[in-house]
Structure formats: structure tokens, C-alpha cells
Amino acid sequence: MTNKNILEEEIKNAVAADYFSKFDCTKILGKIDFAVKIKCPKNANDFNDEYLLWAEAKQKSTDIVAMLAQLVLTVGKARTFDEILPPPFLGCYDSEKIAFVPYSEIQDIFYQNDFNWNVAPSNYDTKEFQQIYNQIKKVIETDIPWETYLFYFERDDKDLRRFIRENFIVGKFGTSKIRIDKNNFIIIYNKWLETVKPTIQVNSWEKAKKAGIIDGDFYLADLLSAENKTLKEKLFVLLKTDRYELDRKIDESGFENFKTTAFSDNQKAHAQFWAKYERPPKEDYWDYIVNRRDLLVPQDVRERKGSYFTPQQWVELSQKYLADVFGENWQDEYYVWDCAAGTGNLLAGLTNKYNLWASTLDNADVDAMHTRIDTMNKNSISGDGANLLHDHVFQFDFLNDDFEKLPPNLKKIIDSPKLRKKLIIYINPPYAEADNRKGEKRSGVAVSKIHEKYSILMGYTKREIYIQFLTRIYCEIPGAALANFSKLKNLQAPKFKDFRKFFHAKLEKLILVPAYTFDNVTGDFPIGFFIWNIASKEEFKHISADVYDDYGNFICHKNIWSYDNEKLINDWVQSFRYSKSESIATIIGVGSDFQNQRLVRFGEPHMKVPADNHNWQITKNNLIESSIYFAVRKVIPADWLNDRDQFLYPNDGWKTDTDFQNDCLAYTLFSNNIQSKYGANHWIPFTEYQVGAQNNFASCFMTDFIDGKTNFCVAEPDLFYYAAGGSGGGYSKYEPKERIFSAEAKSVFSAGRALWRYYHAQPNVNVNASLYDIREYFQGRNSKGKMNNKSENERYTELIGALRDSLKILASKIEPKVYEYGFLKP
């Protein structure tokens, strides 16, 4: 491959034709650049797919580790391995070289519990990219004979072909059975669902599910077996050669009774499926797989019961705070009930088993906890055991079952006002929300008896499962203490005001940790651990929370506010929706919290946007207010900690602060996404002369506005406008002064001017180019049509870097005013 200037798609085609012609390289697998699989008959299904390579491709010479890091982030973000069996090799190549890495050497990277996969894989500047980069580099340097897997096309052509010939052999990987371990048992379960489950003679899986039997129980029976006989007796379903046994009970006469079910195809699909896999897994993995049965349930059940495995570091931290609030001897002085226990990991570390109760939605989790109890009883130092009593672990649907079903000793505590004062409900309830995404059966996620019973009381918030838990506890176990993990919506979200109206309990303590450290939770937002005193009636207004980082280190205190009776920033917008003059852009404001920051943007004039978005037209009459809105929403970076903070209706201080107004205007002019392709660009902040333009601009609106040459109308005049007579309708016409910018704003203009001048010195440029257009010109777009993050033009990179640096300085100057003028609470 001697031509180094060919396009990325041409490189892919050349590599496929020159080296992998015996294989199928046509499959598009998500956002993976290049995939090599064994050619299958046209009528074969995905079960027969056997991938040999997933690779990242680049047009020009690129650092191998960087390419592999991008590939790992791409695969990890999409969790491709949850649907398709991974190949034996990951790889990467550019116009001069190709490299391979055994998948087994780096698969552990995909199973990190404290990693945020929701970053752009192509952004090499994120901390996540650097973390993956360093992990891969370490593997390469310590575990892999790198010279065996790196080939240059021209120099190593023969060696590369030999490597492919010896390692990419049709059937080489398919003839040897695939080993199952704790990393791939979920992937294989997904395949099992497609192939084996339809042949099991169960008339109604829905009815089975209501009885506590799920398809995952049949999979575990298959998985933990040899010669088609389940080896682990403490399972809800057992495989007995050609049938399954379930619902095993001892009758009054002492005989064992059970139900059986067989296969509809004489076990043919079952035999074909398991011929490909080696089972059982190593015995070292058995307890882990059984304890993580929560991952082997249909999506709607999984979210309904809340498969959010609480990381051990937060379990330990929460128990430290429980001791701080309830005293050093709290485990002996209080009863503890986890009514959303799953497999019981939240109770790990607690010592007084006589005061502990654990209930969960289905019987299989109860069986798993009983197994762990037996393990603990056999070996008191076993890390896999559970320090609980058999009779204190039971099946109970907290949102549907009556308290009459509780064990007598726990029911006695619930019924006694005196004993309830010594009861702590300690839970990490499900975070599922009805209708928070489209999908089959999704709307029924939140349906329950508690949903119906307290529907009017909970209002909009009844859609949240964890709110239903909190509501029943508050209403039906008065006087108890509540210690729960959850999101912060119940404290901060405007739509959760209905909940705050009735849930009057004193919040004694709150700690905040990153949500992405929890299993099965994605996104950059905080999860809190709350300790409530339900007996003390107090409407929540504010608390100072303790904040911890990914690794359990205390980092700061954070004020959390309810925002009830506060007007939000989008209410402020109503005061300057002036639409009687020509629009220069549409601004989309969306929700008023930080989680919507990235959605605040500009569009073409009179752009059609969803009705539920806050949007308005920017005109000469509201340009300053709109610039303040945009700058205020953008100058402080969104992160996991401020994600739920609300932007508010400001006080009047901003009206007389022209320095602040002009700083916000400058920030907006050099950080917007205006594009000239939608019409005249009214946002060019320079004259043709200042930037050496090759022709006249279509609009000089912005420089006229800055120089005080534009008359406009305002609803409330201030000290910085000259009166020029009334215009009627409650608005007055004013002639503005020339705008005087701060030193920080001037630095932004200076950096911007240098960038514009450099652009206009190029051949064949768009004379009306916006900042977005200039970036597109120098950075270009990739094969997928997305603008590249970087440019190969060193001078442009220097100039755009200088502009961004000056914007950061200006943002830091604006930030204190955001709090001073009440746009954010401190």
C-alpha cells in the first residue's frame, strides 16, 4: 500500500482485498470501522457469525495505541460484545501499518465498574481516552510480544500474510469450544435467548414471570451442567438430561414434588447451541454468575426490580454515615430492613444478623441469598457468604404485596409505633422510570398497587419506581428512619414539586457520588445516599451535601436546593420575547438545568423546533438578553455534580452592569454555532477591512450594533440607553451607545480577528463565513460526515487554541456574576 494519500474508505477496501479476501469484510457493525468474519451461507442466521477481527482504520499515520484506544471506547460505548461474540483479535491500521491485539488480553477493560463510557471515542483529549490509552499501553508493554503483532505493509508484507494465514483459519476458532467465564456469560445468554428459549415448552413466559420463574433460570440450569445434568442443586430450575425440573417442594408426606417441562424439537436446538460452548465454567465463577442472576432477566423486569448492584465502596461509605447519624452501636440498637435487596450486597458488612431482614421481588434471588448464607455457615471467613438468617430472607413485592405477608417478627415491628422508631429501611431501590424511553412493555414499568393507591398524592412523580418506594415507606411505616440511594430528582426537579409537598421528613445527611460508578447506570449525574428522619416533619428546602469522587475520596461540600417557589431562567425569557423586528437567529433554550447545557444552541431564523423546547427569535431588541442567556448557560462546564442544578430568574443587578452585558455578548459572538448556509450571516463581529475580506459581507448588522449605529426598542430602559421617543405598545425606542468592552473581551476579539484574517487569506473561501464555517473549513469532516476534532493546519490550530484560551479567561470573569445576579444559587 504505497499511496499514503488515499482516503480512509479506499484503505479499508485495499486491506480487505489484499489480505482478507477469503473472509467477509462487508458487514457494518455499529460504528466499528472494519470487521472480518467467516463467510456464512446466505440463509445462515447471526448465531453462525464468527468474527475474527474488529479494527479501527485511519487515513494517515496514527499512533497505534491511540487507534486501539478509540476502538475500545467505540466497542465499550456500544457494548457490542453484549450482542455479538467478540473476535479473537482487535486491531488497527492506517496507510502504512497494521497491528493486532488478542481480545483476551484487554477484555478486562470492558468490565470496569468505575468508568464512564459515554464519551466520544474520537475525542483524544478526554480523561477517559487517556485512561484507556494508558491501560492498553501497559498491556502492550508488559503482556504482549509486540513485534509478533505489528506489521508494516511494505516491509512486512510476507510476515503479515503468514500471520493471517496461521491465525485467521476458517473453523480454527469454531471447532474448539468457547469457554464461558464471568465476562461473557451475559453475551452467551443473549444468544441462548434467540436459539434455545423458543424450544422450551413454556406456554406463557409472562405467567411464568409472575410466578417468579424467568428464562434466566433455565439458562443457569444449562450453563452450570455437565452431560446435560445441572451440577448446582441450589437453583430454581434444574436440567435433567432431556427435561427441566422446577418448583421443587417437599409435600406433607416428606416426598419431593416438582414440575417438569421438555423441548418442542426433541432438544435439537439445545444440542446444537451447547456444542459450541464448554460448560460448566470454572467452578471459581459459579457463585459470581449465580449472584449476578439479576443480569439475566428481561429488560422490563430488570428495570422494574432495579438491577443496580451497589458498589462495595459506597456500601461501606453509607454504613459509615449510618453510624455517624445513629451512633456507634446502631447495628445492635436498630432493626434494618432492605426491601429491595436483590442478592443482598447492600447488607454486606453488617454484623448483627438477628436485626437484619432482606426481601426481594423474586424467589431466585432469595435462593441465591440462602446459598450465600449456607456458604457463610460452612466457612465463616468466606467472602461469598451472607451474614443473614434464613428466616429473615424472603420473597416480597414491596410495591404490590400486603404487609400481612411479612415474617411475624418483622410484622410485629411494623405494627408497633414504639418499635418502628428503631427501624431503618436501608435500600437502593430501582431507578426505572415509566416512558423514559420508547420500547415494548416500557409503559408498564411503573404500574403497581402503590402506583394506583397514591396516584393523586404522587402526581407526575408516580412514574418513578423509587418514588413509589419512598411514598409507601413514608405513608405506611411512619416513625421509621429511611436510608436510601437514589437520584436527586425528588429534591431538585421542578416537576417533582408534588412529591415534596407531602414528603415532609427531615433530611439528616446526604452524600453525593458519581452515577457512572454504579453497575448498569450510565450518564454524568449524581446519585445520593439519603438518611431521612420520617418522624421529624420538615419540608425540604436546602442541605449541604458531602461529595465523593470515583475512588471514594471526599472532595467538597455541595449545596442542594429544592427551587420551590423560584422562577427559572426560562421564565425570564418571557420578558424579552420581542418579535416585531427581523430575526437574526433562533435560540433553543430547552430545560433549565445543567444536564441540558449541550442542547442550548442557535438555529436559523424561524427554525421549526418541538413545542416543548424553550425557543425564541433573536432580534436587535433582545440581542443583549439573549447573549446573557447563552453565556450564562455555557460559561460553567457541566459535570456529574452540577448536572441537576437549575438556572434561575435573575435579580435586576445585570441591568446596570454594561461590563457584564458586553462580556456576555463577546462570549456569545465567539462560541456560537451559527452557519452561513442558512442565509445572511448577521453575526460577523468585524468589518471587511478588519479581517481583509475578499468581498463585501452580506450583513454588517453586528458591527453596526457594537458601534451603536442600530436603533432598537426595549421594555425597560436603563442608564445606558438614550431615550428617543415612545413607540407605543409598552416599548420605547432607544439609541444605544457604542459598546465598550473589557480587557478580557478585547482579548477575545483580538484572537478572533487573527483567526478571521487567516481564514480570509486562504483561496476560495466563503466571504460570509461564521466561526462554525471557519472551523469546518480547516478541520474538515470524516468519512461519516462528522466534523473532525482537530486540523492538520498548524497555524489554524495555534489560532483556534488562542481563541479558546481567551474565551476561558472571559468565562472565568463572567462566572462570579452568574451567582451574583442570581442565575445560579451558590
Side-chain angles (χ1 to χ4, degrees):
M1 195 175 301
T2 58
N3 183 2
K4 296 182 181 180
N5 295 316
I6 62 177
L7 299 176
E8 182 178 306
E9 289 303 316
E10 293 178 304
I11 294 176
K12 294 179 188 177
N13 293 337
V15 169
D18 291 349
Y19 296 102
F20 298 101
S21 59
K22 294 182 179 181
F23 306 98
D24 182 358
C25 303
T26 62
K27 187 87 169 184
I28 297 174
L29 198 58
K31 295 187 177 181
I32 297 173
D33 284 341
F34 187 77
V36 177
K37 63 186 282 283
I38 293 173
K39 290 182 178 179
C40 296
K42 290 184 178 180
N43 61 349
N45 57 33
D46 287 342
F47 172 72
N48 294 310
D49 281 350
E50 186 175 341
Y51 283 91
L52 303 176
L53 175 69
W54 294 342
E56 179 73 22
K58 294 293 181 186
Q59 177 187 9
K60 298 184 178 180
S61 181
T62 307
D63 176 16
I64 289 171
V65 180
M67 287 192 283
L68 288 171
Q70 182 173 342
L71 175 64
V72 167
L73 282 167
T74 300
V75 173
K77 184 175 184 178
R79 297 197 69 81
T80 312
F81 45 79
D82 281 344
E83 303 294 333
I84 299 169
L85 282 172
F89 291 102
L90 296 183
C92 61
Y93 60 84
D94 54 33
S95 59
E96 63 179 16
K97 60 186 176 296
I98 187 169
F100 305 92
V101 176
Y103 182 87
S104 60
E105 294 289 348
I106 62 172
Q107 67 174 342
D108 287 348
I109 294 176
F110 294 119
Y111 296 92
Q112 302 174 92
N113 285 329
D114 57 351
F115 188 79
N116 173 28
W117 291 100
N118 296 316
V119 296
S122 58
N123 186 353
Y124 289 13
D125 296 327
T126 64
K127 67 175 183 180
E128 289 80 8
F129 184 92
Q130 293 301 320
Q131 181 176 333
I132 296 294
Y133 182 98
N134 292 332
Q135 288 175 310
I136 292 175
K137 185 177 180 182
K138 182 179 179 181
V139 169
I140 289 173
E141 290 177 347
T142 58
D143 300 331
I144 300 176
W146 193 232
E147 64 279 2
T148 306
Y149 298 103
L150 172 62
F151 305 92
Y152 284 81
F153 291 119
E154 293 185 22
R155 187 190 68 191
D156 304 321
D157 181 74
K158 291 183 178 179
D159 292 335
L160 172 57
R161 293 182 186 278
R162 182 185 302 112
F163 177 85
I164 294 172
R165 188 166 59 249
E166 293 176 353
N167 290 277
F168 289 66
I169 301 173
V170 176
K172 173 176 180 179
F173 302 97
T175 54
S176 58
K177 290 189 176 183
I178 297 170
R179 290 187 177 183
I180 302 175
D181 57 30
K182 65 180 182 179
N183 292 329
N184 66 5
F185 76 99
I186 302 170
I187 311 164
I188 296 166
Y189 163 69
N190 290 328
K191 291 286 187 183
W192 181 93
L193 286 176
E194 300 173 7
T195 308
V196 180
K197 178 184 173 181
T199 69
I200 301 174
Q201 292 180 324
V202 175
N203 291 330
S204 172
W205 287 101
E206 284 298 316
K207 290 182 179 179
K209 185 170 65 177
K210 289 179 181 179
I213 303 167
I214 60 173
D215 50 38
D217 294 315
F218 290 84
Y219 171 71
L220 288 176
D222 281 358
L223 179 61
L224 301 179
S225 69
E227 297 180 354
N228 278 349
K229 292 183 180 179
T230 303
L231 301 175
K232 194 174 178 68
E233 286 292 322
K234 292 283 188 175
L235 294 180
F236 200 61
V237 176
L238 301 180
L239 176 63
K240 297 291 186 177
T241 309
D242 59 353
R243 68 188 188 282
Y244 295 102
E245 290 183 0
L246 60 153
D247 198 17
R248 290 166 290 128
K249 299 176 181 177
I250 304 297
D251 64 18
E252 296 178 355
S253 302
F255 294 102
E256 183 180 34
N257 288 327
F258 52 82
K259 298 175 182 177
T260 65
T261 188
F263 299 91
S264 61
D265 65 343
N266 294 320
Q267 211 171 353
K268 184 183 294 183
H270 184 275
Q272 290 176 346
F273 180 86
W274 288 112
K276 192 171 184 177
Y277 302 100
E278 182 177 320
R279 57 180 177 142
K282 288 177 62 177
E283 193 167 355
D284 295 349
Y285 301 137
W286 290 12
D287 286 338
Y288 175 87
I289 291 172
V290 171
N291 289 338
R292 294 320 314 271
R293 174 192 176 275
D294 59 316
L295 301 178
L296 302 177
V297 296
Q299 184 68 17
D300 61 322
V301 175
R302 185 172 173 182
E303 295 183 346
R304 165 71 173 80
K305 63 174 286 204
S307 301
Y308 302 109
F309 202 73
T310 315
Q312 188 61 31
Q313 64 176 345
W314 306 138
V315 172
E316 294 173 1
L317 184 64
S318 68
Q319 292 173 9
K320 173 184 176 297
Y321 274 79
L322 286 170
D324 291 343
V325 171
F326 297 108
E328 183 179 353
N329 299 318
W330 73 279
Q331 294 190 54
D332 296 324
E333 296 174 359
Y334 286 84
Y335 307 106
V336 177
W337 178 21
D338 182 355
C339 55
T343 53
N345 80 303
L346 189 59
L347 301 178
L350 299 184
T351 56
N352 189 350
K353 61 185 177 182
Y354 298 98
N355 283 4
L356 301 178
W357 281 266
S359 63
T360 186
L361 188 63
D362 58 278
N363 283 309
D365 282 343
V366 174
D367 291 342
M369 282 190 277
H370 283 163
T371 299
R372 294 176 61 216
I373 292 170
D374 293 341
T375 301
M376 175 66 76
N377 292 338
K378 291 177 183 178
N379 181 3
S380 61
I381 63 172
S382 172
D384 293 323
N387 187 32
L388 298 164
L389 297 177
H390 261 266
D391 292 345
H392 285 201
V393 175
F394 56 99
Q395 187 279 331
F396 187 78
D397 185 343
F398 191 80
L399 299 184
N400 288 292
D401 288 344
D402 191 273
F403 284 162
E404 294 300 323
K405 288 183 61 176
L406 296 176
N409 46 5
L410 179 58
K411 178 69 164 52
K412 179 181 178 181
I413 296 170
I414 296 293
D415 289 343
S416 168
K418 181 178 180 181
L419 294 178
R420 281 201 305 267
K421 293 179 181 180
K422 290 295 183 178
L423 174 64
I424 300 171
I425 309 296
Y426 179 34
I427 54 173
N428 182 12
Y431 304 154
E433 174 185 353
D435 303 320
N436 70 343
R437 65 170 174 79
K438 296 179 180 179
E440 184 183 0
K441 305 176 185 175
R442 184 64 185 175
S443 60
V445 165
V447 175
S448 70
K449 289 184 179 178
I450 296 301
H451 177 277
E452 296 173 3
K453 182 177 181 179
Y454 297 107
S455 177
I456 296 176
L457 186 66
M458 291 185 289
Y460 172 87
T461 68
K462 64 188 177 185
R463 61 196 280 125
E464 295 272 357
I465 294 292
Y466 85 91
I467 291 295
Q468 295 183 34
F469 270 82
L470 269 56
T471 299
R472 185 177 195 186
I473 293 165
Y474 179 82
C475 294
E476 300 185 9
I477 316 179
L482 170 61
N484 72 281
F485 288 90
S486 77
K487 296 178 283 187
L488 303 189
K489 289 182 179 181
N490 56 310
L491 299 186
Q492 293 186 292
K495 289 185 177 181
F496 281 61
K497 189 175 182 178
D498 288 343
F499 176 81
R500 292 190 290 274
K501 283 182 180 179
F502 76 84
F503 192 90
H504 291 175
K506 184 178 181 181
L507 184 55
E508 301 283 1
K509 278 288 185 181
L510 175 64
I511 65 174
L512 304 178
V513 300
Y516 53 78
T517 60
F518 283 70
D519 193 12
N520 299 323
V521 180
T522 59
D524 289 328
F525 60 90
I527 284 181
F529 177 66
F530 305 68
I531 300 180
W532 300 93
N533 182 352
I534 296 177
S536 180
K537 302 304 179 184
E538 181 178 296
E539 185 177 357
F540 175 75
K541 296 293 184 183
H542 162 264
I543 193 171
S544 178
D546 296 345
V547 183
Y548 291 81
D549 66 14
D550 305 25
Y551 306 103
N553 300 313
F554 174 81
I555 53 176
C556 66
H557 295 287
K558 165 76 173 172
N559 287 322
I560 301 296
W561 305 86
S562 72
Y563 303 110
D564 291 339
N565 304 316
E566 297 269 8
K567 287 186 175 181
L568 303 177
I569 193 170
N570 288 324
D571 298 317
W572 178 55
V573 170
Q574 303 303 319
S575 69
F576 53 85
R577 279 180 177 271
Y578 189 77
S579 58
K580 292 185 179 180
S581 58
E582 184 180 356
S583 172
I584 62 172
T586 300
I587 185 169
I588 297 97
V590 296
S592 58
D593 53 14
F594 268 100
Q595 67 176 321
N596 285 293
Q597 183 188 68
R598 65 183 180 83
L599 300 177
V600 177
R601 63 200 186 280
F602 291 98
E604 68 267 25
H606 305 292
M607 176 182 177
K608 292 183 179 180
V609 292
D612 57 348
N613 280 339
H614 297 275
N615 62 89
W616 65 97
Q617 300 305 306
I618 302 179
T619 74
K620 62 183 180 180
N621 302 308
N622 65 7
L623 175 58
I624 292 301
E625 292 90 340
S626 298
S627 296
I628 291 172
Y629 180 98
F630 183 83
V632 163
R633 295 293 303 266
K634 293 287 190 178
V635 294
I636 301 172
D639 56 34
W640 72 267
L641 185 55
N642 64 21
D643 184 72
R644 276 13 182 192
D645 290 357
Q646 301 286 334
F647 287 90
L648 305 172
Y649 197 117
N651 59 46
D652 289 342
W654 67 271
K655 293 183 178 180
T656 55
D657 189 345
T658 52
D659 192 54
F660 172 71
Q661 295 174 23
N662 294 338
D663 282 345
C664 290
L665 175 61
Y667 183 89
T668 301
L669 290 175
F670 294 95
S671 56
N672 64 68
N673 62 303
I674 294 292
Q675 300 177 57
S676 62
K677 69 180 182 180
Y678 294 116
N681 178 12
H682 301 292
W683 293 79
I684 302 174
F686 307 109
T687 65
E688 295 91 339
Y689 177 79
Q690 288 174 320
V691 297
Q694 299 172 18
N695 208 329
N696 293 328
F697 295 152
S699 170
C700 296
F701 169 86
M702 197 57 65
T703 50
D704 285 348
F705 184 90
I706 290 170
D707 292 339
K709 298 177 182 178
T710 303
N711 293 326
F712 55 93
C713 300
V714 293
E716 294 184 49
D718 62 36
L719 297 175
F720 300 94
Y721 299 127
Y722 294 125
S727 62
Y731 285 81
S732 297
K733 188 176 182 181
Y734 284 82
E735 295 179 359
K737 293 180 179 179
E738 177 184 356
R739 297 204 165 264
I740 307 300
F741 292 96
S742 65
E744 292 83 359
K746 287 178 179 178
S747 293
V748 172
F749 272 92
S750 179
R753 186 182 302 111
L755 176 61
W756 253 263
R757 287 188 66 86
Y758 183 67
Y759 169 78
H760 282 286
Q762 309 304 310
N764 303 318
V765 297
N766 172 10
V767 70
N768 295 301
S770 65
L771 175 63
Y772 184 94
D773 298 331
I774 293 173
R775 290 176 53 229
E776 183 179 36
Y777 177 87
F778 287 109
Q779 294 173 211
R781 294 185 178 275
N782 60 26
S783 60
K784 300 180 178 74
K786 185 177 179 181
M787 189 186 297
N788 296 316
N789 291 319
K790 297 180 179 181
S791 170
E792 295 182 359
N793 187 307
E794 293 183 1
R795 177 58 178 158
Y796 164 77
T797 300
E798 178 184 334
L799 291 171
I800 195 70
L803 176 59
R804 288 167 178 164
D805 288 343
S806 63
L807 279 168
K808 288 178 182 178
I809 294 172
L810 180 60
S812 65
K813 180 174 184 287
I814 295 171
E815 181 175 347
K817 301 284 184 74
V818 173
Y819 293 96
E820 180 181 344
Y821 298 142
F823 290 102
L824 285 174
K825 282 184 173 291

